[in-house]
């Protein structure tokens, strides 16, 4: 056999052997555990997801490979772009309420209603929570994170003026007046350093006065310039005119707000419970320096309202691993899964049966109250209505805070935006 | 008689070497194509990353694409929507203010500093200090200046401390003050690089020309306006073009400091484009804004460079 023939023979052998080796590899791969990609843009979730993946691997044989994107924009574009293909990430984080509506409408998300229902029946989640993760009685997302919107108060200021946590709207107003008369701004609010913060008091006033009206406004059944809505806005305007709020431009971003809160520039700050982290960074300790309370209702109906914000875990309908992802979702919702998730990610688990030790101390009572059914949960304005409306209305509300006299113009403008959206959405 | 060939005559092949074979067709083709093969990587990069993106943006600007449903052709609707949108008009105006401000502060200021620093002692330290902010990221610059501009921030406190209470104001609340304040913040960072470019330009001016003008009795002012400034024209063209393009692309600083607010009063065209693309998911509308933005930059750059080069040639 000459040299050329030897080379030819070797090539032939390689051609036969390589596919055989690859085939062998795939056969042995079948015995390996199934691993699901779980994408998100929150690097601080990585440790928790990995820990949950390891626990899930032991319990269900399904492991997790965390895929972190450093930029929210590229993350959203990559996920949206792949969702209609079989390259879609089987598991991915998103924004709840109307922020996931277009994905639901396009049939890109797996229905997880049955998983929710099973865990609600076990008493692990309040039934009203599921509504924020879906539409028309069906759920399409699982609660990876739930935050309650509460009033943070400076305990030193409250102690200095002999103030108690208010339990009625009148008590809250009397408290605000006491602070004001002592030269302390009652509430912090800025729409300059924080553009979207303009919706916070609009939403809160609505759910405290008439939660049903709030919901119908969110779904386009009530107009923004409806006399009832305008009347509630007038109550907010009275508070603005009374000088109960910090001045626009007083602080830069929410970390700046935390510093001003610590410095005692204002007594109370209405925001999501995640603000705790900013306060701790600014040097305040829960219990010693600050506490939280749910804002009392303006009406009896509004007294039981609680605004929630959530980060859902979604499952791609087109992913070839959809069914395995649904299997993992069941473990994720369980007490065991949620306990591991809460312990390793420092996140307040929405699972009502998760051990108390996994919750930040100041939120234990609130979580128990939610578990007891003391509150009706309402989706935060940012996600409760279509983003095409929200993104424009927050700018109008920002203008209203700067110029409270523009109330009617603000509400007429908001209604025009909402009407245009609902008309085009209805026509689609 | 000499047997040596004439200088322009090719030497004949030595007798003991075989005559050269004529190149085959494939070889000839390869020789022709060879130079282009070297260009291929660069062409692929430019074509793939630049031309394709431009073509793709242009194509989607005529659709209603939202990234999840297939795009539908809508003709010029996105362009009509953009031009009719009052926010687009405001963004356009703000962008023009940014362009004007960027020409005045980083370009004009950079030139002034270069001319002044060229002649004063201790210039090295001053140059370093002025250049220092350029090494900071825009996000850091934005965060620093956000604190400078708060109601009780550094600027208002400084004004109060020197008795200028009447000049204090909420800097980021009302238009156009918020845009002007952000231009100052941006210029703080951009001043150093343009100053350095002008300094390089000044050093390339032959000393004997300046010397000759001085001997002819030209004063400092005349020297600047009639000698240095015209000789700096190529550098000025680069600084102006870079500054204008930069100001048309103004996004990150505004996004961090105000997100275009309050009430979209400080929005620029790049912010509008971003909002439409990544918040409203209106890729077609964002594409239309991008095309309009690029067209403005292109028209400006071509006409400015033409005029400058013509003057330089003269």
């Amino acid at each position: 056999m000459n040299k050329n023939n030897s080379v030819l023979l070797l090539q032939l052998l390689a051609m036969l052997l390589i596919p055989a080796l690859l085939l062998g590899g795939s056969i042995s791969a079948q015995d390996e555990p199934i691993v699901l990609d779980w994408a998100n843009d929150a690097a601080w979730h990585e440790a928790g997801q990995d820990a949950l993946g390891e626990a899930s691997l032991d319990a269900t044989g399904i492991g997790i490979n965390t895929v972190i994107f450093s930029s929210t924009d590229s993350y959203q574009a990559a996920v949206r772009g792949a969702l209609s293909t079989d390259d879609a990430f089987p598991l991915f984080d998103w924004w709840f309420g109307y922020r996931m509506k277009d994905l639901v409408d396009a049939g890109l998300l797996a229905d997880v209603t049955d998983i929710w229902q099973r865990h609600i029946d076990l008493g692990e989640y309040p039934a009203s929570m599921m509504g924020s993760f879906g539409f028309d009685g069906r759920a399409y997302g699982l609660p990876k994170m739930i935050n309650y919107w509460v009033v943070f108060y400076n305990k030193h200021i409250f102690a200095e003026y002999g103030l108690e946590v208010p339990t009625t709207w009148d008590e809250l107003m009397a408290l605000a007046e006491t602070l004001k008369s002592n030269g302390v701004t009652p509430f912090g609010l800025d729409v300059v350093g924080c553009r979207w913060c303009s919706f916070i008091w609009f939403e809160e006033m609505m759910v405290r006065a008439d939660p049903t009206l709030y919901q119908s406004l969110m779904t386009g059944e009530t107009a923004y310039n409806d006399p009832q809505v305008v009347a509630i806005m007038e109550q907010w305007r009275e508070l603005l005119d009374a000088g109960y709020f910090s001045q626009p431009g007083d602080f830069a971003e929410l970390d700046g707000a935390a510093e001003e809160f610590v410095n005692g520039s204002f007594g109370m700050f209405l925001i999501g419970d995640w603000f705790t982290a900013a306060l701790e960074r600014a040097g305040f300790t829960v219990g010693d320096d600050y506490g939280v309370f749910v804002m009392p209702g303006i009406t009896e109906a509004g007294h039981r309202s609680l605004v929630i914000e959530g980060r859902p875990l979604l499952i791609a309908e087109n992913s070839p691993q959809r069914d395995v992802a649904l299997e993992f979702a069941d473990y994720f919702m369980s007490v065991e899964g949620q306990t591991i998730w809460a312990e390793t990610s420092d996140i307040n688990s929405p699972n009502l049966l998760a051990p108390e030790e996994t919750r930040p101390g100041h939120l234990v009572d609130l979580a128990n109250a939610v578990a007891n059914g003391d509150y009706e949960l309402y989706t935060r304005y940012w996600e409760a209505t279509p983003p095409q409306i929200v993104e424009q209305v927050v700018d109008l509300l920002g203008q209203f805070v700067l110029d409270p006299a523009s109330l009617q113009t603000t509400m007429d403008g908001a209604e025009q935006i909402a009407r245009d959206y609902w008309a085009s959405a209805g026509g689609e | 008689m000499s047997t040596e060939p004439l200088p322009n005559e090719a030497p004949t092949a030595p007798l003991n070497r075989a005559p050269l074979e004529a190149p085959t067709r494939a070889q000839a083709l390869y020789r022709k194509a060879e130079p282009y093969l070297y260009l291929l990587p660069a062409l692929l990069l430019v074509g793939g990353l630049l031309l394709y993106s431009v073509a793709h943006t242009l194509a989607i600007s005529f659709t209603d694409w939202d990234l999840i449903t297939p795009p539908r052709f809508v003709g010029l609707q996105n362009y009509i929507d953009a031009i009719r949108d009052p926010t687009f008009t405001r963004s356009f105006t703000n962008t023009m203010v940014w362009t004007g401000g960027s020409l005045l502060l980083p370009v004009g200021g950079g030139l002034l500093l270069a001319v002044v620093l060229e002649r004063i002692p201790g210039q090295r330290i001053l140059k370093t200090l002025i250049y220092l902010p350029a090494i900071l990221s825009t996000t850091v610059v934005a965060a620093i200046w956000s604190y400078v501009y708060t109601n009780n921030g550094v600027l208002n406190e400084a004004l109060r401390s020197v008795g200028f209470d009447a000049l204090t104001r909420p800097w980021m609340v009302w238009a156009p003050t918020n845009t002007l304040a952000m231009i100052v913040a941006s210029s703080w960072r951009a001043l150093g690089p343009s100053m350095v470019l002008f300094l390089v330009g000044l050093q390339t001016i032959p000393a004997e020309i300046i010397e000759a003008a001085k001997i002819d009795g030209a004063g400092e002012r005349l020297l600047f306006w009639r000698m240095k400034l015209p000789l700096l024209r190529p550098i000025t063209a680069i600084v102006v073009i870079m500054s204008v393009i930069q100001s048309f692309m103004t996004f990150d600083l505004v996004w961090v400091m105000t997100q275009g607010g309050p009430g979209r009063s400080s929005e620029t065209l790049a912010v509008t484009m971003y909002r439409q693309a990544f918040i409203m998911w209106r890729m077609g509308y964002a594409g239309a804004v991008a095309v309009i933005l690029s067209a403005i930059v292109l028209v400006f750059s071509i006409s400015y460079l033409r005029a400058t080069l013509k003057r330089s040639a003269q």
Side-chain angles (χ1 to χ4, degrees):
Chain A
M1 191 184 276
N2 64 26
K3 198 179 164 191
N4 281 349
N5 284 349
S6 306
V7 171
L8 202 68
L9 193 67
L10 274 172
Q11 282 177 340
L12 203 68
L13 274 172
M15 281 167 69
L16 288 169
L17 273 172
I18 290 168
L21 286 169
L22 288 174
L23 197 65
S26 68
I27 289 166
S28 62
Q30 279 179 7
D31 302 330
E32 286 175 9
I34 303 162
V35 176
L36 296 170
D37 279 344
W38 184 350
N40 74 39
D41 63 329
W44 56 283
H45 283 198
E46 192 172 5
Q49 282 187 200
D50 288 348
L52 189 61
E54 279 170 33
S56 162
L57 194 61
D58 290 342
T60 65
I62 303 168
I64 291 298
N65 173 46
T66 303
V67 182
I68 299 283
F69 284 75
S70 58
S71 141
T72 299
D73 310 326
S74 56
Y75 170 70
Q76 289 188 338
V79 169
R80 283 178 76 96
L83 269 178
S84 51
T85 72
D86 58 8
D87 285 333
F89 288 106
L91 298 165
F92 62 100
D93 285 16
W94 206 248
W95 289 260
F96 80 149
Y98 267 92
R99 299 263 160 179
M100 57 188 240
K101 178 85 162 51
D102 54 350
L103 307 186
V104 173
D105 291 345
L108 299 171
L109 303 181
D111 188 320
V112 290
T113 315
D114 292 345
I115 299 174
W116 264 101
Q117 205 51 59
R118 188 159 48 250
H119 291 277
I120 288 171
D121 293 345
L122 290 167
E124 295 175 5
Y125 297 88
S128 60
M129 195 178 276
M130 188 176 89
S132 297
F133 291 85
F135 302 90
D136 305 322
R138 309 299 301 175
Y140 299 91
L142 306 161
K144 191 181 183 195
M145 229 170 95
I146 286 285
N147 295 104
Y148 303 112
W149 279 58
V150 289
V151 180
F152 286 79
Y153 69 99
N154 185 321
K155 282 198 165 182
H156 305 298
I157 292 178
F158 270 45
E160 190 177 345
Y161 301 108
L163 303 170
E164 295 285 329
V165 168
T167 54
T168 65
W169 184 255
D170 289 341
E171 282 177 19
L172 178 70
M173 289 300 104
L175 189 153
E177 191 51 43
T178 308
L179 289 176
K180 173 79 184 143
S181 58
N182 283 290
V184 179
T185 305
F187 302 107
L189 174 68
D190 190 18
V191 295
V192 179
C194 173
R195 166 182 162 263
W196 56 265
C197 287
S198 61
F199 78 73
I200 298 175
W201 273 80
F202 163 67
E203 154 201 278
E204 196 73 16
M205 295 295 287
M206 289 292 298
V207 299
R208 295 291 152 222
D210 192 341
T212 314
L213 188 70
Y214 171 73
Q215 280 193 311
S216 65
L217 181 70
M218 297 302 100
T219 50
E221 293 153 66
T222 297
Y224 276 82
N225 53 3
D226 181 283
Q228 283 178 282
V229 178
V230 173
I232 295 169
M233 285 293 285
E234 271 165 3
Q235 281 184 281
W236 182 20
R237 181 173 67 182
E238 282 168 21
L239 305 186
L240 284 163
D241 289 341
Y244 285 175
F245 291 91
S246 50
Q247 289 301 305
D250 266 358
F251 39 82
E253 297 182 316
L254 286 171
D255 274 336
E259 282 161 24
E260 293 297 322
F261 181 81
V262 168
N263 293 339
S265 300
F266 47 84
M268 294 171 278
F269 198 59
L270 171 60
I271 198 92
D273 64 42
W274 41 258
F275 191 60
T276 303
L279 287 181
E280 302 280 335
R281 275 200 299 275
F284 252 26
T285 310
V286 67
D288 297 334
D289 302 310
Y290 72 93
V292 296
F293 64 86
V294 176
M295 189 174 278
I298 299 171
T299 61
E300 193 52 42
H303 205 66
R304 295 188 67 242
S305 303
L306 183 62
V307 172
I308 62 161
E309 170 193 351
R311 185 179 176 93
L313 165 63
L314 307 182
I315 294 164
E317 179 70 12
N318 291 322
S319 166
Q321 291 179 303
R322 170 191 174 276
D323 293 341
V324 186
L326 284 169
E327 220 177 295
F328 170 77
D330 193 50
Y331 177 75
F332 172 75
M333 292 281 276
S334 69
V335 176
E336 184 188 328
Q338 285 291 303
T339 305
I340 291 161
W341 171 236
E343 280 172 347
T344 53
S345 62
D346 219 9
I347 282 170
N348 180 24
S349 167
N351 189 312
L352 303 169
L353 302 184
E356 271 192 10
E357 311 86 77
T358 63
R359 302 184 201 288
H362 60 304
L363 297 176
V364 171
D365 289 346
L366 189 57
N368 289 337
V370 172
N372 292 336
D374 294 350
Y375 290 108
E376 285 294 325
L377 305 179
Y378 294 95
T379 306
R380 183 172 75 145
Y381 177 70
W382 194 249
E383 293 95 357
T385 201
Q388 292 84 348
I389 298 175
V390 174
E391 289 290 347
Q392 299 182 73
V393 171
V394 289
D395 290 317
L396 291 178
L397 290 170
Q399 277 173 330
F400 164 72
V401 174
L402 301 184
D403 176 20
S406 67
L407 193 155
Q408 194 60 49
T409 324
T410 301
M411 301 321 280
D412 289 343
E415 178 51 22
Q416 184 64 49
I417 292 163
R419 204 184 307 141
D420 286 350
Y421 172 80
W422 292 117
S424 65
E428 271 172 11
Chain B
M1 189 187 264
S2 165
T3 54
E4 276 184 17
L6 291 169
N8 59 350
E9 196 179 331
T12 51
L15 289 173
N16 59 348
R17 196 193 279 180
L20 281 172
E21 277 175 39
T24 62
R25 221 171 144 188
Q27 280 172 326
L29 201 68
Y30 176 77
R31 272 185 204 158
K32 260 189 188 172
E34 196 184 0
Y36 297 101
L37 287 176
Y38 292 119
L39 286 176
L40 203 61
L43 279 174
L44 281 176
L45 268 176
V46 172
L49 295 179
L50 192 76
L51 298 180
Y52 170 75
S53 312
V54 171
H56 186 66
T57 306
L58 191 66
I60 63 168
S61 73
F62 299 109
T63 70
D64 66 348
W65 194 34
D66 63 357
L67 268 181
I68 52 170
T69 46
R72 265 185 321 176
F73 180 75
V74 294
L76 288 170
Q77 196 55 48
N78 290 321
Y79 291 89
I80 296 165
D81 285 353
I83 288 159
R84 281 188 185 158
D85 186 353
T87 310
F88 177 85
T89 318
R90 196 186 302 146
S91 297
F92 182 80
T93 314
N94 284 339
T95 308
M96 289 300 142
V97 173
W98 267 94
T99 310
S102 303
L103 286 177
L104 193 72
L105 292 175
V107 178
L111 177 63
L112 190 72
L113 279 171
V115 172
V116 172
L117 285 182
E118 201 193 20
R119 296 180 292 140
I120 60 168
Q123 52 159 289
R124 194 169 287 183
I125 297 166
L126 285 170
K127 273 190 279 187
T128 311
L129 285 176
I130 293 166
Y131 191 81
L132 217 52
I135 62 167
L136 299 174
S137 78
T138 315
T139 313
V140 174
V141 172
I144 293 170
W145 283 84
S146 292
Y147 281 89
V148 170
Y149 288 139
T150 56
N151 293 349
N152 294 314
V154 178
L155 183 57
N156 279 344
E157 288 301 325
L159 287 170
R160 274 185 209 115
S161 66
V162 290
F164 290 134
D165 292 51
L167 292 178
T168 61
R169 64 200 63 216
W171 296 97
M172 301 307 289
V173 177
W174 304 105
T177 313
N178 46 16
T179 292
L180 297 175
M182 283 190 283
I183 292 172
V184 171
S186 167
S187 303
W188 178 66
R189 180 166 176 261
L191 207 55
S194 68
M195 176 197 70
V196 168
L197 284 171
F198 280 122
L199 276 170
V200 170
L202 284 170
Q203 279 162 12
T204 58
I205 297 175
E208 55 270 29
I209 298 179
I210 303 294
E211 211 51 47
K214 276 183 182 168
I215 291 166
D216 288 344
E220 281 302 326
R221 192 176 293 181
L222 198 67
L223 261 182
F224 176 74
W225 289 109
R226 305 299 287 272
M227 300 294 297
K228 290 181 181 173
L229 200 57
L231 287 167
L232 275 176
R233 199 167 284 147
I235 288 285
T236 313
I238 292 169
V239 178
V240 166
I241 288 285
M242 277 169 50
S243 186
V244 167
I245 292 175
Q246 208 69 41
S247 59
F248 270 102
M249 304 301 291
T250 300
F251 168 74
D252 31 14
L253 190 100
V254 178
W255 193 250
V256 176
M257 289 183 83
T258 63
Q259 288 203 313
R264 303 186 78 172
S265 63
S266 60
E267 205 165 300
T268 57
L269 282 177
V271 173
T272 306
M273 183 173 70
Y274 176 86
R275 275 175 63 108
Q276 293 297 336
F278 296 109
I279 291 174
M280 310 295 271
W281 300 111
R282 292 178 70 188
M283 292 293 164
Y285 189 107
V289 176
V291 170
I292 295 170
L293 194 60
S294 307
I296 296 170
V297 174
L298 203 66
V299 168
F300 172 83
S301 305
I302 290 172
S303 38
Y304 177 76
L305 280 178
R306 252 195 196 165
T308 314
L309 293 176
K310 203 186 271 179
R311 245 181 292 155
S312 295
Q314 280 165 2

